[in-house]
Amino acid sequence: MDVRNRSTNLTDKLTTHYESGKKKSRLIPSVGFLNRCAPLWYIVVIMGVAYWGISDALPSIYGKRSVLLLNINTCLCYVIFIEVMINWMCIHLVDSSYKPHIHGTKQTEDNGSDAKVTIDVSSSSTDNGRQSKFNYKIYVASGVSKTDGSVQRTAYPYWSWVPCLICQKLRPPRCHHCTLCGICVLKRDHHCYFARACVGINNQRHFTVFLFWALFGTVYSSCHMVLYFFGEVLPVIKYIDIVPPIAFVRALFGYQDFVISFLMLLAWGLLAFTVLTWEHFKDMIFLINKSTTSFEHMNEIRITDSRTLQDKLYSVFGHYWVLNFFVPVHMFFKPIEDPLYWPSIKL
């Protein structure tokens, strides 16, 4: 059998395997379900909070005190909303996929594919000329068993070019295949369910800026939500209405206004986003400072980078990195990084 035909058959088998797995988990919560619903939840919360704040909360809090304060806070709300939405869209639209005809290739005769990955740490060895205290290995799918249909995996050194059977190409170190996006992503950090895209070499800046403005916006909104809640909402509700399902049921029977139940839903959604954005923003600052990725940090892959903090910021944001926090400049200032060979990284 021709090698290319055999590789294509393996690709078809792997695709069938993943599709069958999705069908089996259709009735239970899954990453596919989360990938479809998380952006909708984000849109409802961000739109609802922005509309509630500008049309109702801010006039209620500042309208009787100072028109100037009302106008300043209203403008600030618009700025936060625009910055969050622009960077949220850029996370999805800015491409971080590996394109051999653009980024370059490395020839090999190996065949393989990426799937779920585990890490094995063994004794010291040298990978690709890099002296390492540990020999980190990555396991990628290389076929499907004929007996039980399970995915067969082959081990490769983590810091090496790994074959991807699904994309039919080799991918460089730190580049991983995402089954949700269907692409190999350079310097893949993780899959962002709220943007339905992977965070990688080119859109990591937008994810970081998105978290910055989202954290600022959620904290700002939460402070005003407390003021508005105690001044306008609490006097007209019962304490059990704080729980959104109970408030909704009471509204169905005419004991409460549907607006109250919707406000309670927004309040809890805002609280959840505040916690999520803080945790992710804190982690992202740590990862940028260490020049590592979420994948490497979770799997305890120890790397070192001798560059200064400024150079590390340039590797993510490009030159004039502060501008990224106000306007998207990814088309003008590219990340100063080699996403194929990573000369400044040592294991």
Side-chain angles (χ1 to χ4, degrees):
M1 181 184 294
D2 183 66
V3 174
R4 179 170 296 181
N5 291 335
R6 182 173 59 192
S7 178
T8 303
N9 291 337
L10 285 175
T11 303
D12 294 339
K13 289 180 180 180
L14 283 173
T15 303
T16 303
H17 173 83
Y18 292 134
E19 290 297 329
S20 63
K22 292 179 181 178
K23 292 180 180 179
K24 291 179 182 178
S25 60
R26 185 175 296 174
L27 298 178
I28 60 176
S30 63
V31 292
F33 176 80
L34 182 61
N35 197 47
R36 291 188 296 270
C37 294
L40 178 61
W41 181 39
Y42 164 78
I43 289 294
V44 169
V45 173
I46 194 70
M47 292 287 191
V49 170
Y51 177 79
W52 157 78
I54 294 173
S55 66
D56 197 1
L58 292 181
S60 175
I61 297 172
Y62 297 106
K64 298 179 181 179
R65 299 180 182 180
S66 172
V67 177
L68 178 61
L69 285 176
L70 175 61
N71 292 334
I72 291 175
N73 282 275
T74 301
C75 291
L76 183 58
C77 279
Y78 279 115
V79 170
I80 294 173
F81 178 77
I82 291 172
E83 290 288 350
V84 168
M85 292 303 298
I86 287 177
N87 285 280
W88 176 71
M89 289 187 292
C90 285
I91 296 173
H92 182 77
L93 297 176
V94 176
D95 187 17
S96 292
S97 63
Y98 170 52
K99 295 181 174 63
H101 62 284
I102 296 177
H103 303 107
T105 61
K106 180 178 181 180
Q107 300 298 324
T108 183
E109 297 179 355
D110 292 334
N111 289 309
S113 169
D114 177 71
K116 295 182 179 179
V117 180
T118 57
I119 295 296
D120 175 42
V121 183
S122 58
S123 59
S124 62
S125 68
T126 303
D127 295 329
N128 286 354
R130 295 172 180 263
Q131 186 65 35
S132 173
K133 184 178 180 180
F134 299 103
N135 179 25
Y136 301 101
K137 292 185 179 180
I138 186 170
Y139 290 82
V140 299
S142 57
V144 178
S145 175
K146 296 181 180 180
T147 56
D148 56 1
S150 61
V151 176
Q152 297 174 335
R153 308 181 192 280
T154 302
Y156 293 88
Y158 174 71
W159 208 272
S160 64
W161 288 69
V162 179
C164 179
L165 184 60
I166 295 178
C167 293
Q168 292 292 292
K169 60 189 177 186
L170 285 168
R171 59 177 188 265
R174 309 182 103 182
C175 179
H176 304 283
H177 185 90
C178 177
T179 55
L180 291 173
C181 297
I183 57 175
C184 288
V185 181
L186 288 170
K187 194 190 175 183
R188 184 179 184 272
D189 188 85
H190 70 285
H191 183 87
C192 178
Y193 293 101
F194 293 105
R196 294 190 68 177
C198 280
V199 176
I201 184 71
N202 292 323
N203 61 356
Q204 185 181 9
R205 67 172 75 190
H206 296 294
F207 183 72
T208 306
V209 176
F210 165 78
L211 291 175
F212 170 80
W213 283 106
L215 178 61
F216 179 66
T218 52
V219 173
Y220 172 84
S221 300
S222 297
C223 294
H224 286 83
M225 178 190 69
V226 172
L227 295 175
Y228 182 79
F229 180 81
F230 281 100
E232 302 292 336
V233 179
L234 192 60
V236 298
I237 67 171
K238 295 184 179 297
Y239 288 111
I240 58 175
D241 289 325
I242 296 177
V243 182
I246 295 178
F248 181 76
V249 172
R250 280 171 48 80
L252 285 177
F253 288 96
Y255 294 105
Q256 190 54 267
D257 194 339
F258 276 107
V259 175
I260 297 298
S261 61
F262 183 67
L263 285 177
M264 291 300 103
L265 182 64
L266 286 180
W268 283 105
L270 182 61
L271 178 62
F273 273 117
T274 303
V275 176
L276 284 174
T277 52
W278 163 248
E279 289 296 327
H280 281 292
F281 183 70
K282 178 184 64 174
D283 292 342
M284 190 54 58
I285 296 300
F286 171 82
L287 295 175
I288 293 175
N289 183 47
K290 295 295 184 181
S291 292
T292 187
T293 64
S294 295
F295 178 89
E296 293 163 351
H297 178 66
M298 288 188 297
N299 290 287
E300 299 182 353
I301 300 176
R302 305 172 188 176
I303 65 172
T304 57
D305 189 344
S306 58
R307 292 178 295 182
T308 64
L309 178 59
Q310 184 179 31
D311 290 333
K312 293 175 182 178
L313 291 172
Y314 287 164
S315 71
V316 175
F317 298 99
H319 285 299
Y320 309 103
W321 61 272
V322 177
L323 289 177
N324 290 272
F325 289 84
F326 300 98
V327 292
V329 292
H330 58 272
M331 292 184 293
F332 308 102
F333 305 111
K334 303 293 184 182
I336 303 177
E337 190 66 271
D338 182 352
L340 300 188
Y341 296 101
W342 308 97
S344 64
I345 303 296
K346 295 182 179 180
L347 293 175

